[in-house]
Amino acid sequence: GFLHSDLELDTPLFGGQAEGPPVTNIMFLKTHKTASSTVLNILYRFAETHNLSVALPAGSRVHLGYPWLFLARYVEGVGSQQRFNIMCNHLRFNLPQVQKVMPNDTFYFSILRNPVFQLESSFIYYKTYAPAFRGAPSLDAFLASPRTFYNDSRHLRNVYAKNNMWFDFGFDPNAQCEEGYVRARIAEVERRFRLVLIAEHLDESLVLLRRRLRWALDDVVAFRLNSRSARSVARLSPETRERARSWCALDWRLYEHFNRTLWAQLRAELGPRRLRGEVERLRARRRELASLCLQDGGALKNHTQIRDPRLRPYQSGKADILGYNLRPGLDNQTLGVCQRLVMPELQYMARLYALQFPEKPLKNIPFLGA
Ligand SMILES: Nc1ncnc2c1ncn2[C@@H]1O[C@H](COP(=O)(O)OS(=O)(=O)O)[C@@H](OP(=O)(O)O)[C@H]1O
């Protein structure tokens, strides 16, 4: 049918440079509020369609011990099975423990977002959860006097309020932004992570990811997941943006560095013309899949508008998290493909858990009333 009509989609596109089998051992450090759920969907789909094992949270847990530093025992089935192919749920990075779960040839990658917008998204999403945000009437107010609100930097729920991406990499979010320290940590990330995607340039990032993993085009096509309605996004004044950059100075340094290296790699490996062509192919395929799968031309829907409860994303804080309705009347095979493309993280995790551990109790997704 339609999904398999374009043979070119399955062939490598990068000439001799893409030789070899697709990479299947992958660790994605899922940072917070950075488009990481969109990337996770890509990895879950690849794992499911290629029958790969995923290092899923143990028991009823929904993440890998976050915000505690990751430990191997947070993974379901660790010990009974030697190693896993894919690891991509939220965790705080801790290399020696990750290595107990993942093979030696694992490809490590992650994603960063401009810390100003990452913080703004976190503020709304964790508004009622993080004590530092709970007391602040707005992000402007929080940043005008952060120490008033962020008065307990050791509170575990405050990890979302300062240098949260730096924290996710396993580093101290309250450290001084001192040159030697920052450079040493960035060098550490560079040594381990073969690629760091940038949310602002996600399509360019995915072109590079696809090249590194030697995957087919369809493997990296994804719809935007976990986005907020315009109503729940705050407009920030230039002063607030500047304050966010200095409040999250460690995140800012990390972001600046990897934004620069992403573009250096794109220039060196593809060049502007080829990159434009690849990005356009990715977007064209996304549009094609959107018109095949999604109702109303792919319009984002709030949770009351999403008919199928299994496709409703988890709601948090003051954020209005959007999702999609599928076109009615899809044949079974197309329906399966489309459902996987729009399935929210928690539901997809529960699905993979049930497939991988049929003997264990199902993951309970409380907001679905399951
Ligand atoms: N394709 C693409 N390009 C750019 N930005 C994107 C994309 N997909 C998701 N997003 C935005 O990422 C935010 C959600 O991030 P996460 O999925 O990492 O959040 S979470 O930590 O897993 O809850 C969320 O940001 P906000 O809308 O500002 O909250 C999404 O809109």
Side-chain angles (χ1 to χ4, degrees):
F2 177 90
L3 293 162
H4 296 289
S5 60
D6 189 351
L7 275 179
E8 208 196 350
L9 297 173
D10 293 324
T11 56
L13 288 161
F14 302 107
Q17 303 194 46
E19 294 301 312
V23 174
T24 53
N25 291 335
I26 300 164
M27 194 276 165
F28 171 59
L29 174 61
K30 188 180 192 291
T31 50
H32 289 77
K33 309 319 300 177
T34 54
S36 67
S37 305
T38 299
V39 177
L40 176 125
N41 177 270
I42 289 173
L43 295 169
Y44 273 176
R45 276 188 287 132
F46 191 84
E48 189 179 0
T49 52
H50 294 76
N51 214 3
L52 302 174
S53 59
V54 183
L56 295 168
S60 57
R61 306 298 295 265
V62 295
H63 47 61
L64 293 166
Y66 193 86
W68 302 103
L69 273 175
F70 173 75
L71 297 176
R73 65 175 166 83
Y74 297 152
V75 173
E76 188 68 76
V78 79
S80 62
Q81 162 168 0
Q82 219 33 37
R83 293 282 195 276
F84 293 84
N85 296 117
I86 307 248
M87 177 181 238
C88 56
N89 286 87
H90 281 304
L91 59 81
R92 185 172 185 217
F93 195 65
N94 183 11
L95 181 62
Q97 291 286 318
V98 171
Q99 284 172 321
K100 292 190 176 196
V101 177
M102 297 302 290
N104 288 337
D105 66 353
T106 296
F107 177 95
Y108 288 77
F109 80 109
S110 188
I111 186 165
L112 297 171
R113 181 181 185 186
N114 182 324
V116 176
F117 305 113
Q118 193 272 349
L119 184 67
E120 191 275 326
S121 177
S122 289
F123 183 82
I124 305 294
Y125 198 84
Y126 300 107
K127 182 74 183 70
T128 50
Y129 184 79
F133 291 157
R134 213 180 289 146
S138 65
L139 186 58
D140 294 286
F142 176 79
L143 288 168
S145 170
R147 295 283 165 200
T148 309
F149 305 103
Y150 184 82
N151 53 15
D152 184 0
S153 62
R154 286 156 311 166
H155 198 298
L156 279 179
R157 291 186 176 199
N158 276 344
V159 299
Y160 305 102
K162 187 177 174 65
N163 293 311
N164 181 230
M165 297 182 285
W166 189 259
F167 177 85
D168 288 353
F169 274 88
F171 306 141
D172 176 6
N174 296 301
Q176 291 298 312
C177 188
E178 184 266 317
E179 199 54 32
Y181 166 76
V182 170
R183 284 192 187 197
R185 297 289 85 72
I186 288 177
E188 223 176 282
V189 176
E190 287 233 281
R191 272 197 299 279
R192 177 52 51 187
F193 289 83
R194 304 264 294 279
L195 187 58
V196 177
L197 317 181
I198 297 289
E200 280 75 22
H201 312 292
L202 192 62
D203 290 345
E204 289 81 357
S205 298
L206 291 174
V207 165
L208 200 54
L209 179 71
R210 175 181 170 220
R211 178 180 162 83
R212 296 287 166 81
L213 299 180
R214 299 187 290 266
W215 283 11
L217 179 60
D218 270 17
D219 295 332
V220 297
V221 177
F223 299 138
R224 173 184 282 257
L225 298 181
N226 224 8
S227 63
R228 281 174 299 161
S229 66
R231 187 186 64 73
S232 50
V233 178
R235 283 182 60 86
L236 304 177
S237 66
E239 295 78 41
T240 297
R241 290 175 188 221
E242 190 46 49
R243 285 173 177 155
R245 276 192 286 271
S246 67
W247 175 246
C248 294
L250 296 164
D251 272 1
W252 184 252
R253 289 293 306 273
L254 195 63
Y255 174 76
E256 265 197 313
H257 177 87
F258 285 103
N259 192 19
R260 209 167 36 238
T261 55
L262 173 76
W263 285 100
Q265 291 170 77
L266 287 168
R267 261 193 306 276
E269 293 180 38
L270 289 154
R273 264 205 26 216
R274 204 146 147 225
L275 176 61
R276 261 198 312 279
E278 288 303 323
V279 166
E280 196 30 62
R281 280 168 56 82
L282 178 70
R283 291 181 180 162
R285 185 57 180 155
R286 186 186 295 132
R287 286 193 296 271
E288 207 168 27
L289 284 170
S291 61
L292 175 73
C293 293
L294 307 178
Q295 207 171 35
D296 302 334
L300 286 152
K301 305 283 180 187
N302 69 37
H303 69 291
T304 61
Q305 297 168 319
I306 301 173
R307 286 186 311 267
D308 183 346
R310 290 167 308 169
L311 301 184
R312 285 182 199 143
Y314 175 68
Q315 305 292 311
S316 172
K318 300 259 184 254
D320 194 8
I321 303 290
L322 306 177
Y324 303 93
N325 278 326
L326 295 183
R327 281 177 54 220
L330 299 172
D331 67 71
N332 273 350
Q333 192 208 352
T334 311
L335 180 65
V337 170
C338 296
Q339 276 172 337
R340 284 194 281 272
L341 277 161
V342 300
M343 196 176 296
E345 174 176 347
L346 290 176
Q347 286 92 322
Y348 210 150
M349 180 185 53
R351 170 192 175 85
L352 290 181
Y353 188 87
L355 287 170
Q356 213 166 289
F357 304 103
E359 72 291 354
K360 302 250 178 207
L362 298 175
K363 290 249 190 218
N364 179 25
I365 309 293
F367 76 96
L368 289 179

